[in-house]
Structures are given as C-alpha cells and as structure tokens.
Amino acid sequence: MRQGVEVMQFSKRSSVRLLQSVVLVTFMGTLAGCELLPMERASHPVKVVDDTDLASCDAEVPNFAESPCMLTEWVAFGLASQRGDREWRDNMLPRLEGHAPEQRLSRAVVMSWGSESQWDQASELYKADLQAAPSELQPLFRYWLNELEGRRKSLQRVGQERSEVARLTEENQALADKLEAMTAIEQSINLRQQVE
C-alpha cells in the first residue's frame, strides 16, 4: 500500500513537472524563433498560430503529421495516459499496434503509466524510437523517458530496501534464537551447580 502511495505522490509531482517542462519547451522554442525572426523575415513568411487553430486540436491518438496541433495533441495524450485507468490502457493499446515510430512511441506513452511490468517495454520503445520523432517532440519524449526511468529507479530502491529489511529481520530472528538457546544452556548449568 505504501508503495502505491509513494508512486501516486511521485505521479502528482510528475504532472507538475510535465506541465512546467511543456511551458519551458514552448517558451524556449518561442525565444529561439524570436532570435531568428529578423534574419528569416525576408525569405520566409512568419506563420502565426492563433487560438482557433489550437481549439481544433482534439485527436485522440496523436501522430507525427506536421501541424500546429502536434505538440498539443501529444501532451494531451500523455496526460490522458497518466490519468487513464487499466481499462482505458487495455482499450488503447490495440489501436496503437504497428511498427511505425509514432505507433511505438504512442505505446510507450501508454505503457509508461501501466503496470510495473510494462515499464521496461515502454523504456525500450522510448530509447529505440525517440530519435525518429520530429525534433519538436524529442524534448517531450526525452522528458517522459527520464520521468519513467526515475519511477523505475524509485521502485527498484523500494525493492532493495524491502529485501534489506527482510534480510535484517531474518538475521535478527537467528540472533534471537541463538540468544534463547544460550540462555537455556546457562539456566541448565546453573541448575546443575545448585544440585551439586
């Protein structure tokens, strides 16, 4: 139970960090674009994305098609995966079957919030296909991979600590048994001496 609480608390912190990272990535992208804007203005028109374009961003399963919605849809999909329950993931995974990098990365996003047994698969998919993602999405996928690896390490530490507690409990019981045996021997020796 405690492990579930620790993972849940970790997940809430992860949501906040995810939102902060998305804002940071967006801000950094805006800054980078602003630095290049005067030089590129003569040869490339500036594409302005307004709120009406983003309002139409509602794809349930995102893809790598170049659009103003791409980043927004992937972030929404990541949040849906995090909030979704097992039934949602079980229904979503068959829809994401395939060998294309966008399908594999979609599965990684879903599995990274699934059972602990799926975390290894999700990590492998992220590592294998992250470079195939559009450069605009790579920081987001890298963030999700790092967050997943953090959860995996936390779980591994919890497992190691439990093993250590079990070992120490066993060792403590063995020492208690030896002490009890030595006490019995001492009492036996004392009784003999009293009889003599």
Side-chain angles (χ1 to χ4, degrees):
M1 180 68 180
R2 183 176 174 197
Q3 177 186 357
V5 171
E6 289 172 357
V7 171
M8 190 188 317
Q9 289 173 344
F10 189 79
S11 296
K12 288 179 183 175
R13 287 183 294 207
S14 299
S15 297
V16 171
R17 284 190 296 206
L18 173 63
L19 185 58
Q20 290 170 339
S21 294
V22 169
V23 170
L24 180 63
V25 167
T26 304
F27 180 70
M28 294 303 287
T30 303
L31 283 180
C34 288
E35 288 175 12
L36 298 175
L37 192 59
M39 293 182 347
E40 293 186 5
R41 185 171 287 177
S43 59
H44 301 292
V46 176
K47 182 178 179 184
V48 177
V49 178
D50 62 15
D51 291 341
T52 56
D53 289 341
L54 295 179
S56 65
C57 299
D58 60 357
E60 190 177 0
V61 178
N63 56 49
F64 289 163
E66 195 66 37
S67 79
C69 294
M70 185 171 61
L71 179 61
T72 305
E73 288 174 346
W74 277 98
V75 169
F77 184 69
L79 291 173
S81 298
Q82 182 179 355
R83 293 176 186 144
D85 57 10
R86 182 178 180 174
E87 183 180 349
W88 182 89
R89 281 186 287 280
D90 289 346
N91 290 332
M92 187 58 70
L93 283 172
R95 296 175 59 190
L96 305 173
E97 284 300 318
H99 300 291
E102 63 191 52
Q103 293 167 317
R104 291 168 51 87
L105 286 168
S106 295
R107 284 199 307 274
V109 172
V110 172
M111 287 190 290
S112 66
W113 294 105
S115 63
E116 295 159 12
S117 62
Q118 292 178 321
W119 292 1
D120 292 335
Q121 284 179 278
S123 177
E124 289 172 18
L125 289 170
Y126 274 129
K127 290 174 183 173
D129 293 305
L130 191 140
Q131 294 301 320
S135 58
E136 178 182 347
L137 294 175
Q138 287 183 15
L140 181 63
F141 288 125
R142 201 168 288 113
Y143 170 79
W144 283 339
L145 172 61
N146 291 339
E147 192 277 333
L148 173 62
E149 293 300 330
R151 278 188 284 134
R152 289 176 69 202
K153 286 178 184 171
S154 293
L155 187 63
Q156 186 178 19
R157 276 194 303 270
V158 168
Q160 289 170 346
E161 288 170 4
R162 284 185 180 164
S163 296
E164 183 65 11
V165 166
R167 186 189 68 75
L168 290 172
T169 302
E170 198 174 292
E171 190 177 301
N172 190 31
Q173 185 60 49
L175 290 172
D177 292 345
K178 286 180 184 178
L179 181 60
E180 190 177 318
M182 290 175 70
T183 302
I185 292 169
E186 184 180 356
Q187 287 174 347
S188 175
I189 291 171
N190 288 340
L191 282 174
R192 280 191 208 155
Q193 286 176 350
Q194 288 175 0
V195 169
E196 293 173 358

